[in-house]
Every structure is written in structure tokens, then in C-alpha cells.
Amino acid sequence: MQILVALDQSKFAETVLEKAILLARQLGAAMTLMTVAEDFMDIGDYMDTEKVTAKLLADAKAKATEYAAKAKDAGVDAAVLVDQGTSPADLIIEQAEKGKYNLIVMGHQGKKGLSRYLIGSVAGRVVSHAPCSVLVIR
């Protein structure tokens, strides 16, 4: 069994990680922890987007390393994958297809208001398009 655990950098990601670790131990599954650094879109001359994008990637890598250490402390060795792009959902789905995972574990998206309906949640997109089962932690 191969589990892909999609984690953002929120406080709730810790809860998702804890539940994924329990599940991996119960199933004797291999686990890959995936974080996605959003790619800052070009907004013209108002901001150095390359620096912002590089900082987001560095922060995601640091958090992924922290998550892997927590998993190891809990007795589960986990591979780490950090990706960067404008659509976290598409990157998670693409990785699930390439890695032939049996299950994706992720948290629900916390967007509120109009942006939730215009953009849609990451979890909703993954559930709709994933090539495998998806466990959404609430």
C-alpha cells in the first residue's frame, strides 16, 4: 500500500499528519509526504516575484523536512516530495498518477466566502480527479 499525504503549511496539517501516520502504521503502508509551494504569479513591476517564489519554495522544503522528522519520531519512515506550481490540486493529482498511490490523505481546504466558489477547494478538485481513493481529514 502506498499513501500520498498532501500537507500544506497550516496548523491543521499537523492533525492530518498524525492521522496519516496512524493509518500508515495500521496498514503497514509506505508513506510519501508532499508539500506544494505556490508559484507566485507575475504581477508586473510592483514586486520581485522570483524572490517571493524562491522564499515560498524554501519554506515548503523546511516544513516538509519537519513533517518527515515527526513521522520518523512516530516510527514511520516517509519519503518527502516538494513541488512548486500555480495549482496545488493539479500537482497532487499528477503525483498520485505518476507514483501509483493507493490513497491520498489530505486536509479539507479552509477557504471561505466567494473565493471558495470562484476558485474551488484543493481537496474538492483532488477528490473529483484523483486516480485513487482520497481521505479528507476534517
Side-chain angles (χ1 to χ4, degrees):
M1 175 104 176
Q2 299 284 331
I3 300 174
L4 177 63
V5 184
L7 299 165
D8 59 16
Q9 297 174 33
S10 69
K11 287 183 180 183
F12 187 68
E14 301 285 335
T15 301
V16 175
L17 178 60
E18 290 170 9
K19 293 190 185 277
I21 289 168
L22 289 173
L23 187 61
R25 284 200 316 228
Q26 288 173 347
L27 299 174
M31 189 167 71
T32 299
L33 305 177
M34 180 178 186
T35 59
V36 175
E38 290 197 57
D39 197 357
F40 219 100
M41 294 184 181
D42 186 12
I43 58 172
D45 296 330
Y46 301 104
M47 178 182 279
D48 184 353
T49 57
E50 287 183 27
K51 283 185 181 177
V52 173
T53 298
K55 172 80 168 107
L56 291 171
L57 181 60
D59 289 349
K61 286 180 179 178
K63 199 66 171 173
T65 300
E66 183 182 313
Y67 292 146
K70 288 183 180 186
K72 187 171 182 118
D73 289 347
V76 176
D77 285 325
V80 173
L81 173 67
V82 178
D83 207 343
Q84 187 165 33
T86 56
S87 173
D90 290 344
L91 293 171
I92 293 165
I93 293 163
E94 182 180 308
Q95 183 58 38
E97 290 169 348
K98 283 194 292 189
K100 304 215 185 290
Y101 290 92
N102 306 99
L103 179 65
I104 299 169
V105 177
M106 64 188 305
H108 68 289
Q109 185 66 14
K111 289 184 180 173
K112 293 183 172 37
L114 185 60
S115 66
R116 179 177 181 196
Y117 298 103
L118 293 176
I119 300 168
S121 75
V122 173
R125 284 186 53 120
V126 172
V127 167
S128 295
H129 301 289
C132 59
S133 296
V134 180
L135 174 61
V136 179
I137 306 298
R138 292 192 74 75

